[in-house]
Amino acid sequence: MRAMFAALLTLCGASRGWAQAPAPDAGLPQAELVPGGVAILPFDAPGGKPPRVTFNDRRVLVVREQGRWLAVVGIPLTQTPGPASARVHDESNAGAALRFEVAD
């Protein structure tokens, strides 16, 4: 029974594209700077390997688009409205802050 269920999930996922990597033109989510939303934070850094960016001590998605890096930050539902920042880490781990404002 489990094998049949797993096969069914695999077939459904493959037919909907779930088992594949997202298409390059899939786009990013719409920015919503509220608890439960997403912040899209552009920043400059050398090309090549994506920089490490964290928010609340958790690593966030970093993508390159049109020659700039973008940090895609999921804002937790428990986030207090007000100033917030993600951190771009360099080799020294000091890094730079990417500041944004979370709305109510």
Side-chain angles (χ1 to χ4, degrees):
M1 182 72 165
R2 284 185 186 182
M4 187 181 348
F5 184 67
L8 180 60
L9 284 177
T10 302
L11 288 173
C12 289
S15 70
R16 293 178 188 247
W18 295 341
Q20 302 171 7
D25 62 349
L28 294 173
Q30 187 72 27
E32 290 262 355
L33 298 176
V34 297
V38 175
I40 308 293
L41 307 172
F43 65 97
D44 293 317
K49 185 179 173 186
R52 187 168 66 93
V53 178
T54 58
F55 178 67
N56 291 342
D57 297 321
R58 292 201 167 116
R59 197 163 186 170
V60 302
L61 173 67
V62 176
V63 296
R64 189 136 176 104
E65 186 174 281
Q66 298 178 358
R68 292 193 82 183
W69 291 107
L70 299 174
V72 182
V73 178
I75 304 169
L77 287 170
T78 56
Q79 181 72 32
T80 304
S85 66
R87 178 147 312 273
V88 180
H89 299 271
D90 59 16
E91 283 87 34
S92 69
N93 261 346
L98 300 174
R99 300 184 196 295
F100 61 100
E101 188 79 19
V102 177
D104 194 6

PDB file of all heavy atoms in Angstrom, residues 33-55:
ATOM      1  N   LEU A  33       6.251  43.112   3.059  1.00  0.00           N
ATOM      2  CA  LEU A  33       7.024  43.365   4.272  1.00  0.00           C
ATOM      3  C   LEU A  33       6.132  43.366   5.507  1.00  0.00           C
ATOM      4  O   LEU A  33       6.017  44.371   6.222  1.00  0.00           O
ATOM      5  CB  LEU A  33       7.800  44.671   4.138  1.00  0.00           C
ATOM      6  CG  LEU A  33       8.819  44.684   2.998  1.00  0.00           C
ATOM      7  CD1 LEU A  33       9.472  46.049   2.873  1.00  0.00           C
ATOM      8  CD2 LEU A  33       9.858  43.613   3.195  1.00  0.00           C
ATOM      9  N   VAL A  34       5.500  42.231   5.754  1.00  0.00           N
ATOM     10  CA  VAL A  34       4.621  42.036   6.911  1.00  0.00           C
ATOM     11  C   VAL A  34       4.937  40.672   7.514  1.00  0.00           C
ATOM     12  O   VAL A  34       5.497  39.811   6.834  1.00  0.00           O
ATOM     13  CB  VAL A  34       3.123  42.096   6.513  1.00  0.00           C
ATOM     14  CG1 VAL A  34       2.748  43.470   5.973  1.00  0.00           C
ATOM     15  CG2 VAL A  34       2.784  41.013   5.507  1.00  0.00           C
ATOM     16  N   PRO A  35       4.578  40.430   8.788  1.00  0.00           N
ATOM     17  CA  PRO A  35       4.772  39.093   9.339  1.00  0.00           C
ATOM     18  C   PRO A  35       4.065  38.054   8.462  1.00  0.00           C
ATOM     19  O   PRO A  35       2.923  38.230   8.065  1.00  0.00           O
ATOM     20  CB  PRO A  35       4.124  39.186  10.724  1.00  0.00           C
ATOM     21  CG  PRO A  35       4.274  40.634  11.090  1.00  0.00           C
ATOM     22  CD  PRO A  35       4.077  41.369   9.784  1.00  0.00           C
ATOM     23  N   GLY A  36       4.799  37.004   8.100  1.00  0.00           N
ATOM     24  CA  GLY A  36       4.281  35.993   7.195  1.00  0.00           C
ATOM     25  C   GLY A  36       4.564  36.292   5.740  1.00  0.00           C
ATOM     26  O   GLY A  36       4.280  35.475   4.866  1.00  0.00           O
ATOM     27  N   GLY A  37       5.169  37.434   5.450  1.00  0.00           N
ATOM     28  CA  GLY A  37       5.459  37.834   4.079  1.00  0.00           C
ATOM     29  C   GLY A  37       6.901  37.551   3.700  1.00  0.00           C
ATOM     30  O   GLY A  37       7.595  36.756   4.331  1.00  0.00           O
ATOM     31  N   VAL A  38       7.341  38.223   2.642  1.00  0.00           N
ATOM     32  CA  VAL A  38       8.673  38.021   2.094  1.00  0.00           C
ATOM     33  C   VAL A  38       9.316  39.372   1.823  1.00  0.00           C
ATOM     34  O   VAL A  38       8.665  40.280   1.305  1.00  0.00           O
ATOM     35  CB  VAL A  38       8.595  37.219   0.766  1.00  0.00           C
ATOM     36  CG1 VAL A  38       9.954  37.093   0.114  1.00  0.00           C
ATOM     37  CG2 VAL A  38       7.985  35.849   0.991  1.00  0.00           C
ATOM     38  N   ALA A  39      10.585  39.495   2.175  1.00  0.00           N
ATOM     39  CA  ALA A  39      11.380  40.676   1.824  1.00  0.00           C
ATOM     40  C   ALA A  39      12.355  40.269   0.726  1.00  0.00           C
ATOM     41  O   ALA A  39      13.011  39.235   0.823  1.00  0.00           O
ATOM     42  CB  ALA A  39      12.140  41.189   3.041  1.00  0.00           C
ATOM     43  N   ILE A  40      12.421  41.059  -0.334  1.00  0.00           N
ATOM     44  CA  ILE A  40      13.392  40.865  -1.406  1.00  0.00           C
ATOM     45  C   ILE A  40      14.395  42.011  -1.280  1.00  0.00           C
ATOM     46  O   ILE A  40      14.052  43.166  -1.528  1.00  0.00           O
ATOM     47  CB  ILE A  40      12.721  40.899  -2.804  1.00  0.00           C
ATOM     48  CG1 ILE A  40      11.537  39.947  -2.877  1.00  0.00           C
ATOM     49  CG2 ILE A  40      13.756  40.632  -3.896  1.00  0.00           C
ATOM     50  CD1 ILE A  40      11.879  38.493  -2.801  1.00  0.00           C
ATOM     51  N   LEU A  41      15.615  41.682  -0.865  1.00  0.00           N
ATOM     52  CA  LEU A  41      16.604  42.703  -0.532  1.00  0.00           C
ATOM     53  C   LEU A  41      17.771  42.667  -1.513  1.00  0.00           C
ATOM     54  O   LEU A  41      18.594  41.751  -1.470  1.00  0.00           O
ATOM     55  CB  LEU A  41      17.119  42.478   0.892  1.00  0.00           C
ATOM     56  CG  LEU A  41      16.040  42.355   1.977  1.00  0.00           C
ATOM     57  CD1 LEU A  41      16.658  41.944   3.294  1.00  0.00           C
ATOM     58  CD2 LEU A  41      15.277  43.661   2.102  1.00  0.00           C
ATOM     59  N   PRO A  42      17.869  43.663  -2.408  1.00  0.00           N
ATOM     60  CA  PRO A  42      18.999  43.703  -3.336  1.00  0.00           C
ATOM     61  C   PRO A  42      20.265  44.182  -2.632  1.00  0.00           C
ATOM     62  O   PRO A  42      20.208  45.004  -1.726  1.00  0.00           O
ATOM     63  CB  PRO A  42      18.550  44.703  -4.403  1.00  0.00           C
ATOM     64  CG  PRO A  42      17.536  45.552  -3.729  1.00  0.00           C
ATOM     65  CD  PRO A  42      16.912  44.735  -2.639  1.00  0.00           C
ATOM     66  N   PHE A  43      21.413  43.630  -3.052  1.00  0.00           N
ATOM     67  CA  PHE A  43      22.693  44.087  -2.518  1.00  0.00           C
ATOM     68  C   PHE A  43      23.797  43.771  -3.520  1.00  0.00           C
ATOM     69  O   PHE A  43      23.635  42.932  -4.398  1.00  0.00           O
ATOM     70  CB  PHE A  43      22.988  43.465  -1.147  1.00  0.00           C
ATOM     71  CG  PHE A  43      23.170  41.966  -1.170  1.00  0.00           C
ATOM     72  CD1 PHE A  43      24.440  41.409  -1.215  1.00  0.00           C
ATOM     73  CD2 PHE A  43      22.079  41.123  -1.134  1.00  0.00           C
ATOM     74  CE1 PHE A  43      24.613  40.047  -1.228  1.00  0.00           C
ATOM     75  CE2 PHE A  43      22.248  39.748  -1.138  1.00  0.00           C
ATOM     76  CZ  PHE A  43      23.511  39.198  -1.191  1.00  0.00           C
ATOM     77  N   ASP A  44      24.901  44.486  -3.394  1.00  0.00           N
ATOM     78  CA  ASP A  44      26.048  44.285  -4.264  1.00  0.00           C
ATOM     79  C   ASP A  44      27.093  43.438  -3.559  1.00  0.00           C
ATOM     80  O   ASP A  44      27.348  43.617  -2.368  1.00  0.00           O
ATOM     81  CB  ASP A  44      26.672  45.625  -4.655  1.00  0.00           C
ATOM     82  CG  ASP A  44      25.743  46.441  -5.549  1.00  0.00           C
ATOM     83  OD1 ASP A  44      25.140  45.849  -6.454  1.00  0.00           O
ATOM     84  OD2 ASP A  44      25.625  47.660  -5.327  1.00  0.00           O
ATOM     85  N   ALA A  45      27.655  42.514  -4.302  1.00  0.00           N
ATOM     86  CA  ALA A  45      28.762  41.672  -3.835  1.00  0.00           C
ATOM     87  C   ALA A  45      29.422  41.111  -5.081  1.00  0.00           C
ATOM     88  O   ALA A  45      28.803  41.084  -6.153  1.00  0.00           O
ATOM     89  CB  ALA A  45      28.250  40.560  -2.925  1.00  0.00           C
ATOM     90  N   PRO A  46      30.660  40.663  -4.968  1.00  0.00           N
ATOM     91  CA  PRO A  46      31.325  40.089  -6.143  1.00  0.00           C
ATOM     92  C   PRO A  46      30.512  38.923  -6.718  1.00  0.00           C
ATOM     93  O   PRO A  46      29.840  38.206  -5.986  1.00  0.00           O
ATOM     94  CB  PRO A  46      32.662  39.595  -5.598  1.00  0.00           C
ATOM     95  CG  PRO A  46      32.868  40.325  -4.321  1.00  0.00           C
ATOM     96  CD  PRO A  46      31.509  40.652  -3.794  1.00  0.00           C
ATOM     97  N   GLY A  47      30.586  38.757  -8.045  1.00  0.00           N
ATOM     98  CA  GLY A  47      29.890  37.657  -8.700  1.00  0.00           C
ATOM     99  C   GLY A  47      30.526  36.331  -8.339  1.00  0.00           C
ATOM    100  O   GLY A  47      31.443  36.256  -7.532  1.00  0.00           O
ATOM    101  N   GLY A  48      30.039  35.283  -8.947  1.00  0.00           N
ATOM    102  CA  GLY A  48      30.571  33.951  -8.674  1.00  0.00           C
ATOM    103  C   GLY A  48      29.727  33.240  -7.647  1.00  0.00           C
ATOM    104  O   GLY A  48      28.522  33.095  -7.791  1.00  0.00           O
ATOM    105  N   LYS A  49      30.352  32.840  -6.557  1.00  0.00           N
ATOM    106  CA  LYS A  49      29.664  32.097  -5.502  1.00  0.00           C
ATOM    107  C   LYS A  49      28.710  33.014  -4.729  1.00  0.00           C
ATOM    108  O   LYS A  49      29.091  34.119  -4.333  1.00  0.00           O
ATOM    109  CB  LYS A  49      30.714  31.513  -4.555  1.00  0.00           C
ATOM    110  CG  LYS A  49      30.154  30.636  -3.485  1.00  0.00           C
ATOM    111  CD  LYS A  49      31.273  30.075  -2.615  1.00  0.00           C
ATOM    112  CE  LYS A  49      30.694  29.343  -1.435  1.00  0.00           C
ATOM    113  NZ  LYS A  49      31.753  28.925  -0.517  1.00  0.00           N
ATOM    114  N   PRO A  50      27.468  32.566  -4.494  1.00  0.00           N
ATOM    115  CA  PRO A  50      26.525  33.414  -3.747  1.00  0.00           C
ATOM    116  C   PRO A  50      27.015  33.700  -2.335  1.00  0.00           C
ATOM    117  O   PRO A  50      27.522  32.800  -1.663  1.00  0.00           O
ATOM    118  CB  PRO A  50      25.240  32.579  -3.696  1.00  0.00           C
ATOM    119  CG  PRO A  50      25.387  31.539  -4.743  1.00  0.00           C
ATOM    120  CD  PRO A  50      26.853  31.313  -4.923  1.00  0.00           C
ATOM    121  N   PRO A  51      26.899  34.939  -1.887  1.00  0.00           N
ATOM    122  CA  PRO A  51      27.283  35.267  -0.507  1.00  0.00           C
ATOM    123  C   PRO A  51      26.334  34.592   0.480  1.00  0.00           C
ATOM    124  O   PRO A  51      25.201  34.264   0.150  1.00  0.00           O
ATOM    125  CB  PRO A  51      27.118  36.790  -0.441  1.00  0.00           C
ATOM    126  CG  PRO A  51      26.935  37.256  -1.833  1.00  0.00           C
ATOM    127  CD  PRO A  51      26.464  36.104  -2.629  1.00  0.00           C
ATOM    128  N   ARG A  52      26.803  34.417   1.699  1.00  0.00           N
ATOM    129  CA  ARG A  52      25.956  33.854   2.757  1.00  0.00           C
ATOM    130  C   ARG A  52      25.212  35.003   3.422  1.00  0.00           C
ATOM    131  O   ARG A  52      25.812  35.973   3.882  1.00  0.00           O
ATOM    132  CB  ARG A  52      26.802  33.101   3.780  1.00  0.00           C
ATOM    133  CG  ARG A  52      25.957  32.362   4.808  1.00  0.00           C
ATOM    134  CD  ARG A  52      26.792  31.403   5.636  1.00  0.00           C
ATOM    135  NE  ARG A  52      27.758  32.074   6.470  1.00  0.00           N
ATOM    136  CZ  ARG A  52      27.540  32.423   7.744  1.00  0.00           C
ATOM    137  NH1 ARG A  52      26.385  32.159   8.308  1.00  0.00           N
ATOM    138  NH2 ARG A  52      28.473  33.028   8.436  1.00  0.00           N
ATOM    139  N   VAL A  53      23.888  34.887   3.478  1.00  0.00           N
ATOM    140  CA  VAL A  53      23.042  35.898   4.105  1.00  0.00           C
ATOM    141  C   VAL A  53      22.182  35.196   5.144  1.00  0.00           C
ATOM    142  O   VAL A  53      21.648  34.109   4.892  1.00  0.00           O
ATOM    143  CB  VAL A  53      22.146  36.613   3.064  1.00  0.00           C
ATOM    144  CG1 VAL A  53      21.238  37.630   3.732  1.00  0.00           C
ATOM    145  CG2 VAL A  53      23.003  37.282   1.989  1.00  0.00           C
ATOM    146  N   THR A  54      22.044  35.833   6.317  1.00  0.00           N
ATOM    147  CA  THR A  54      21.208  35.260   7.370  1.00  0.00           C
ATOM    148  C   THR A  54      20.190  36.280   7.865  1.00  0.00           C
ATOM    149  O   THR A  54      20.406  37.490   7.774  1.00  0.00           O
ATOM    150  CB  THR A  54      22.058  34.785   8.569  1.00  0.00           C
ATOM    151  OG1 THR A  54      22.808  35.893   9.083  1.00  0.00           O
ATOM    152  CG2 THR A  54      23.000  33.661   8.180  1.00  0.00           C
ATOM    153  N   PHE A  55      19.100  35.752   8.390  1.00  0.00           N
ATOM    154  CA  PHE A  55      18.078  36.560   9.049  1.00  0.00           C
ATOM    155  C   PHE A  55      17.662  35.778  10.292  1.00  0.00           C
ATOM    156  O   PHE A  55      17.307  34.598  10.193  1.00  0.00           O
ATOM    157  CB  PHE A  55      16.882  36.795   8.129  1.00  0.00           C
ATOM    158  CG  PHE A  55      15.772  37.577   8.771  1.00  0.00           C
ATOM    159  CD1 PHE A  55      15.950  38.901   9.126  1.00  0.00           C
ATOM    160  CD2 PHE A  55      14.548  36.989   9.038  1.00  0.00           C
ATOM    161  CE1 PHE A  55      14.935  39.631   9.730  1.00  0.00           C
ATOM    162  CE2 PHE A  55      13.521  37.707   9.634  1.00  0.00           C
ATOM    163  CZ  PHE A  55      13.721  39.030   9.984  1.00  0.00           C
TER     164      PHE A  55
END
